Amino acid sequence: MALKLHNTLSGKKEDFIPLDPQHIRLYACGPTVYSYAHIGNARMAVVFDLLAELLKHSHKKVTYVSNITDVDDKIIAVATESGEEIDVITKKYADIYNKDMAALGVRAPDIQPRATEHIQEMIDLTALLIEAGHAYEADGHVLFDVPSFPAYGGLSKRSRDEQIAGARVEVASYKKDPADFVLWKPSSKDEPGWDSPWGRGRPGWHIECSAMAEKHLGLPFDIHGGGADLKFPHHENEIAQSCCAHGHENDITAFAKYWIHNGFVTVEGEKMAKSVGNITLVHDLIKSYPGEVLRMTLLSAHYRQPLDWSTATIEQSKSFIDRLYNILKDIEDVQAEDATIPDDILEALHDDLNTPKAFAALNTLAKEAAAQKSPALKGQLLAAGKLMGLLQQDPNEWLGYGQPGGDVDASEIEKLLAERQEAKASKDYARADEIRAKLDEMNIVIEDTPQGPKWRKAS
RNA sequence: GGCGCGGUGGCCGAGAGGAUAGGCAGAGGAUUGCAAAUCCUCGUACACCGGUUCGAAUCCGGUCCGUGCCUCCA
């Protein structure tokens, strides 16, 4: 089945043709670890997790690399403010990031390189760029010489002149050209720094991804991704660095062949920003909702569309997933067969990750599985769910059946249920309803079935 | 200002020239002592104005709204 992906380079959906069919190589820009991951970080992580899984489904060998940026001026700012050591901060937030993403069903990337572990590679790459005449040293900085790369702007489709015309930020005096960007910058004594041919300093932001992608995947590789906001300047600059360092001044595909960008997340209709005060953290969300619900919410819109994050959409996803687990509960006695994922679901995902369409197909499949109580269909449902990172939990546990949890006393509930049964048997419905109301107060829902009453925790 | 993206039924959200998308919510029904859970039935929507076409939500032009990026924000 052919995979189609929207390539930012062409602005079109293209057939994905691997550079090396024996080994698919994928890179996605990960977070800068100076704070908790927000829902926008999570969207990127979930989308590329799904893409990696999909690739792995149809290719034997796939390497998915997603980095951790652990050297950055924002991190320095946090360290200065809090008094904590930089590596303490980065380690803390990298760990939290990984835990939070795991809660969303994000599988660990095959390689998760850290910027600080690739300083030498960045220095080497920078040196190559100077040698090739694409970078220069000025005022302790090393800058990429943008005019030396005529193809610059090919990804974000903006000419150099447009950028200058629209620039809102004052241009540093040491730049030869306003569009030039930093490869290496000097560090003061109390800033983190590494020795380099240009003195003690630290890398610019863009160079790390060029260095890490090249080291772990080799050039060119198949797919490079990240949030839409990274198109410019980050990805544009990565292309400039990597292509120019290796003599591909005229070929912007010499770094990565397909560029995939996920859309932005807004929160209750507003841009998520510190200034608005609506940064929505995964760390907080997972206290209120199962990670699987959040994952589905993130996948409920096509990845390139803007996604508005709201309580209403989370609740919708929850209702949908609850129903799927209800179906799995209904057919819990059906032994799932080993099964492949149905074509309609695979086709939807292969069509540029059309997750909404895939959910529709998953829904149809679930209904059929419930109606037919078929081992094959149940197997298909679980297999499809697995690929999408969903439906792998125990349905009874998910729905709260027979799971006492810390705050409920199962024996007390059973006692009340028995009492209610007695009341019902003697047609004392007032008493029966009273007991049900009491259980309701305990957050327990009763379901009468032909096999007797069942109870579950309300969610 | 420059370069993009988008406006689909109460809500979310696919589709992209001739269509049952799907979901959530809601209504009615079955079931139930009443509920819960489940099942069945029910929605003819595509911002606006022109145009192309036998036919447009889908193509073209314009308008109006919303929104993203424009040197380190996923």
Side-chain angles (χ1 to χ4, degrees):
Chain A
M1 195 178 294
L3 172 62
K4 285 188 193 304
L5 290 173
H6 178 93
N7 189 349
T8 306
L9 280 177
S10 65
K12 287 182 194 141
K13 242 192 248 182
E14 298 178 13
D15 285 327
F16 173 68
I17 301 162
L19 290 159
D20 172 6
Q22 303 306 310
H23 185 192
I24 311 299
R25 291 162 297 159
L26 168 67
Y27 186 97
C29 292
T32 302
V33 284
Y34 63 102
S35 179
Y36 291 96
H38 55 64
I39 200 68
N41 296 308
R43 189 179 197 190
M44 167 264 146
V46 167
V47 164
F48 288 96
D49 172 66
L50 179 63
L51 177 58
E53 285 303 307
L54 188 64
L55 289 165
K56 284 173 184 178
H57 178 262
S58 46
H59 295 88
K60 269 196 215 95
K61 189 176 178 195
V62 175
T63 302
Y64 170 37
V65 178
S66 187
N67 67 293
I68 293 280
T69 297
D70 58 357
V71 52
D72 183 277
D73 287 2
K74 288 192 295 293
I75 303 173
I76 297 174
V78 170
T80 308
E81 207 174 294
S82 70
E84 278 180 291
E85 292 295 323
I86 284 183
D87 50 355
V88 172
I89 293 170
T90 57
K91 182 165 187 326
K92 173 182 163 190
Y93 287 113
D95 287 349
I96 291 171
Y97 172 79
N98 283 330
K99 277 190 195 130
D100 287 350
M101 293 310 115
L104 301 184
V106 172
R107 290 144 277 210
D110 299 298
I111 302 170
Q112 188 176 52
R114 313 243 163 157
T116 52
E117 289 164 8
H118 297 76
I119 299 294
Q120 190 55 50
E121 286 83 352
M122 293 188 232
I123 290 173
D124 293 346
L125 202 54
T126 303
L128 266 181
L129 285 166
I130 293 175
E131 242 172 74
H134 287 292
Y136 59 93
E137 203 180 341
D139 202 13
H141 295 66
V142 180
L143 292 143
F144 184 90
D145 183 8
V146 169
S148 77
F149 182 48
Y152 191 78
L155 177 73
S156 56
K157 313 277 187 284
R158 49 185 104 204
S159 74
R160 207 187 57 83
D161 290 344
E162 278 163 4
Q163 294 151 38
I164 295 164
R168 294 180 308 200
V169 176
E170 227 177 290
V171 176
S173 58
Y174 48 79
K175 289 188 181 181
K176 286 206 294 203
D177 185 279
D180 293 349
F181 57 90
V182 171
L183 298 171
W184 188 265
K185 60 174 130 190
S187 290
S188 68
K189 261 199 307 204
D190 41 355
E191 286 171 338
W194 291 263
D195 290 327
S196 82
W198 319 285
R200 184 173 174 281
R202 59 190 192 278
W205 176 37
H206 317 296
I207 194 75
E208 62 173 89
C209 289
S210 283
M212 292 187 281
E214 179 177 350
K215 176 171 181 186
H216 295 288
L217 294 174
L219 301 187
F221 56 94
D222 294 294
I223 303 170
H224 191 129
D229 56 322
L230 295 184
K231 269 185 232 176
F232 186 88
H234 185 54
H235 288 161
E236 202 70 74
N237 293 353
E238 283 186 49
I239 290 174
Q241 293 157 354
S242 293
C243 291
C244 290
H246 300 291
H248 297 288
E249 282 86 351
N250 298 311
D251 181 11
I252 56 173
T253 65
F255 180 42
K257 194 171 170 193
Y258 300 90
W259 286 81
I260 310 294
H261 292 97
N262 63 273
F264 242 63
V265 180
T266 54
V267 172
E268 305 283 354
E270 275 196 290
K271 181 188 175 173
M272 182 166 59
K274 263 190 195 145
S275 54
V276 186
N278 63 349
I279 302 280
T280 304
L281 303 177
V282 177
H283 205 65
D284 295 329
L285 286 166
I286 55 179
K287 290 173 194 159
S288 311
Y289 299 97
E292 191 168 329
V293 166
L294 303 173
R295 181 183 180 93
M296 197 210 139
T297 308
L298 286 167
L299 293 174
S300 66
H302 181 85
Y303 78 92
R304 278 189 286 117
Q305 293 299 115
L307 174 69
D308 187 40
W309 190 260
S310 69
T311 308
T313 52
I314 303 172
E315 293 294 341
Q316 277 191 27
S317 301
K318 183 171 186 318
S319 299
F320 183 81
I321 293 189
D322 280 350
R323 194 166 51 74
L324 293 184
Y325 272 116
N326 247 313
I327 286 172
L328 286 172
K329 186 208 71 180
D330 286 346
I331 56 174
E332 64 186 329
D333 294 334
V334 176
Q335 190 62 43
E337 277 176 14
D338 279 336
T340 54
I341 299 164
D343 279 351
D344 55 352
I345 294 175
L346 277 181
E347 272 163 24
L349 293 174
H350 278 80
D351 182 14
D352 196 29
L353 294 183
N354 192 334
T355 47
K357 204 172 174 184
F359 281 127
L362 192 72
N363 178 56
T364 306
L365 171 62
K367 278 192 198 165
E368 281 172 15
Q372 299 182 25
K373 304 204 184 306
S374 136
L377 291 179
K378 183 177 178 184
Q380 289 179 13
L381 181 61
L382 290 173
K386 188 173 184 190
L387 175 66
M388 298 178 79
L390 306 169
L391 304 181
Q392 302 305 299
Q393 300 186 47
D394 178 74
N396 284 296
E397 204 164 310
W398 176 275
L399 297 165
Y401 287 101
Q403 299 297 320
D407 53 337
V408 267
D409 180 348
S411 61
E412 171 72 9
I413 292 165
E414 296 294 348
K415 210 181 96 193
L416 286 166
L417 275 183
E419 201 181 317
R420 176 169 169 275
Q421 285 303 96
E422 273 175 42
K424 277 177 69 179
S426 53
K427 303 237 192 283
D428 183 359
Y429 295 121
R431 177 62 187 150
D433 289 350
E434 200 180 297
I435 294 169
R436 186 169 61 206
K438 191 171 176 188
L439 284 162
D440 187 59
E441 266 172 49
M442 295 163 69
N443 212 24
I444 298 299
V445 181
I446 298 172
E447 291 172 14
D448 287 324
T449 74
Q451 291 78 41
K454 295 174 90 171
W455 63 273
R456 65 180 163 88
K457 272 180 85 172
S459 53

